[in-house]
Amino acid sequence: MGLPVVIFALALTTVAMALDNGLMRTPPMGWLAWERYRCDIDCDNDPKNCISETLFRDMADRLAEDGWRELGYTYVNIDDCWSSKKRDGKGRLQPDPKRFPGGIPELARYVHDRGLLLGIYGDLGTFTCMGYPGTTLDNIETDAQTFADWGIDMLKFDGCYSNATEQEKGYPLMSKALNATGRPIGYSCSWPAYQGGLPPKVNYTQLGEICNLWRNYGDIQDSWDSVLNIVDWFFNHQDILQTTAGPGRWNDPDMLVIGDFGLSLDQSRSQMALWAIMAAPLFMSNDLRTLNSEARTILQNKAVIAINQDKMGVQGRRLLKEKSEIEVFWRPLSNSDSALVFFSRRSDMPYRYTTSLGKLNYKAGSYKVYDVFSEKLMPGLSDTTDFTVSINPSGVVMWYISPLVPLSFRQNYRVSSLHGGLELPFPL
Ligand code: GLA
């Protein structure tokens, strides 16, 4: 198959099989507590960082006031350790009364009043991973209804303390139960991560029908090693994973750790660029109250967000692994646009990598190139022209590429419906 045929076929397959709740037509974006705040419940000694309503209110304030919401970062998501160790008299989950004195409905109102959405965490099994009450099969409907009654907008459903048989029953059941509440609740399934992430144990066709996103693989940590390990797993299995993603159903390589402690500036750009290529959900797990301006600039880069949020929703691929330890990634976008990432795994000095668009499978023609991180529009480039990019160690160069022909000669998309409705920082 030629490239356009592949793209068309992928676009078609994505239409057919997504979970029918109409949500998350582009990868969800927002903030999730786990990686940065874990199970810190010591509010007496660490009031600013413990898992409490204060933390989620603070993050909602920041998302609403510091320009995040307008860029698409709309979810404020609670993870493990929010609940009381006991269900209430009616068998319902309840928040820890000391750390969430206002209750979840009040927190949901606070978040909604700021134009944001509230996510919560549950676990299919006898306990959550940190030992809080889990959702056994007989509790699924009660818990789905409780979340809906509280005004919850997204559920991350983990899989600690359940076996494969229970998961086979429980994940589809929760999907049904959420739909039955009548409240639109985005559904994130950790199921595949507990079954090795690969067929035949994992059925991605079914996942696309019951979940909006799913964790395929292990937990991210605040280190470059962890990011690399995740990147390698996802791109080593791209032939399996790429076709499973599409509007309403996304592979989730886990949170962004940009703005924390483990990544350099270049590594932070690399995580952002590769998550955009993967059409990954963008959940930051950092402290938005103290974020430095370099991290903010990366996370708020409009072009990389536009690439991530592209309406066609085709997950990108690694095209090349060079002996020089340069790797090239590509993602097709709406409107015949595309994104390229040149990534260096080297540890010596900026590497000058020479290639041409033709060598990277581009059709004959001229292209407009926008450099995403230097925020510069470059001179037009023909497919046959060799160019050289200088890539920092563990860094990336990312390009947003448009064919140099008028929009009307390309495809019949309305500009306003493109790029998640974001205005691009450069002319199309
Ligand atoms: C698992 C999940 C993490 C996080 C923790 C909470 O490890 O994969 O993302 O939710 O549980 O205990």
Side-chain angles (χ1 to χ4, degrees), residues 34 79-80 121 129-130 156 158 194 215 219 255:
W34 181 254
D79 207 278
D80 204 348
Y121 168 99
C129 298
M130 293 308 294
K156 169 173 166 181
D158 212 342
Y194 286 88
R215 286 280 309 283
D219 292 0
M255 291 156 272

Side-chain angles (χ1 to χ4, degrees), residues 160-206:
C160 273
Y161 301 105
S162 55
N163 61 34
T165 318
E166 287 157 345
Q167 292 173 6
E168 244 165 67
K169 288 190 185 134
Y171 279 97
L173 260 181
M174 179 56 91
S175 181
K176 264 201 188 151
L178 290 173
N179 275 343
T181 67
R183 183 176 175 84
I185 299 179
Y187 183 33
S188 166
C189 300
S190 300
W191 187 10
Y194 286 88
Q195 296 303 328
L198 297 173
K201 269 192 156 177
V202 175
N203 177 348
Y204 279 109
T205 310
Q206 182 191 13

Side-chain angles (χ1 to χ4, degrees), residues 271-413:
Q271 192 190 17
M272 193 69 186
L274 293 171
W275 262 235
I277 290 289
M278 285 190 276
L282 298 181
F283 288 107
M284 307 179 276
S285 192
N286 53 16
D287 191 344
L288 296 173
R289 299 166 298 199
T290 58
L291 201 67
N292 67 45
S293 67
E294 284 174 342
R296 183 183 308 267
T297 303
I298 295 168
L299 290 161
Q300 297 198 342
N301 182 298
K302 283 190 177 174
V304 75
I305 293 173
I307 292 165
N308 175 269
Q309 293 290 297
D310 182 78
K311 282 281 190 275
M312 195 161 76
V314 175
Q315 182 173 325
R317 304 176 60 80
R318 180 169 57 203
L319 292 180
L320 280 174
K321 259 170 103 105
E322 302 277 17
K323 275 204 204 76
S324 58
E325 292 186 282
I326 301 303
E327 297 182 8
V328 184
F329 300 82
W330 167 80
R331 178 173 170 191
L333 304 173
S334 308
N335 214 29
S336 307
D337 291 348
S338 57
L340 279 177
V341 167
F342 306 95
F343 172 50
S344 170
R345 306 182 72 110
R346 299 175 67 92
S347 48
D348 52 356
M349 62 187 285
Y351 186 82
R352 294 174 56 77
Y353 177 70
T354 301
T355 186
S356 69
L357 290 180
K359 285 179 197 143
L360 300 173
N361 300 341
Y362 279 71
K363 283 195 293 191
S366 292
Y367 294 86
K368 194 154 53 178
V369 173
Y370 179 77
D371 187 302
V372 168
F373 291 113
S374 70
E375 300 184 21
K376 286 203 177 73
L377 194 56
M378 326 232 307
L381 191 62
S382 125
D383 62 296
T384 52
T385 314
D386 272 351
F387 60 81
T388 300
V389 283
S390 173
I391 319 161
N392 293 346
S394 66
V396 286
V397 169
M398 184 174 212
W399 284 3
Y400 188 114
I401 300 177
S402 292
L404 252 183
V405 290
L407 200 54
S408 50
F409 289 101
R410 286 190 247 159
Q411 285 171 35
N412 200 15
Y413 291 110

Side-chain angles (χ1 to χ4, degrees), residues 98-268:
K98 220 178 137 200
R99 293 182 285 116
F100 293 84
I104 305 293
E106 192 180 288
L107 180 59
R109 254 192 313 277
Y110 188 92
V111 165
H112 293 157
D113 284 349
R114 282 153 187 76
L116 301 166
L117 300 163
L118 184 65
I120 206 162
Y121 168 99
D123 182 286
L124 175 63
T126 38
F127 298 103
T128 72
C129 298
M130 293 308 294
Y132 288 78
T135 304
T136 45
L137 294 173
D138 53 320
N139 275 318
I140 284 179
E141 282 173 17
T142 308
D143 291 357
Q145 193 56 52
T146 305
F147 297 145
D149 294 344
W150 286 348
I152 291 291
D153 306 292
M154 172 172 173
L155 170 66
K156 169 173 166 181
F157 204 32
D158 212 342
C160 273
Y161 301 105
S162 55
N163 61 34
T165 318
E166 287 157 345
Q167 292 173 6
E168 244 165 67
K169 288 190 185 134
Y171 279 97
L173 260 181
M174 179 56 91
S175 181
K176 264 201 188 151
L178 290 173
N179 275 343
T181 67
R183 183 176 175 84
I185 299 179
Y187 183 33
S188 166
C189 300
S190 300
W191 187 10
Y194 286 88
Q195 296 303 328
L198 297 173
K201 269 192 156 177
V202 175
N203 177 348
Y204 279 109
T205 310
Q206 182 191 13
L207 278 165
E209 288 161 358
I210 65 166
C211 312
N212 295 112
L213 61 156
W214 46 79
R215 286 280 309 283
N216 315 62
Y217 190 61
D219 292 0
I220 200 161
Q221 310 293 341
D222 189 8
S223 77
W224 179 236
D225 271 0
S226 170
V227 172
L228 261 189
N229 178 266
I230 289 174
V231 164
D232 285 342
W233 189 86
F234 277 80
F235 287 103
N236 288 343
H237 299 296
Q238 62 184 0
D239 290 341
I240 290 162
L241 300 177
Q242 189 193 12
T243 54
T244 71
R249 51 195 191 96
W250 310 104
N251 293 301
D252 180 5
D254 213 1
M255 291 156 272
L256 295 169
V257 291
I258 298 164
D260 293 317
F261 310 98
L263 304 190
S264 70
L265 176 63
D266 277 288
Q267 292 162 353
S268 303

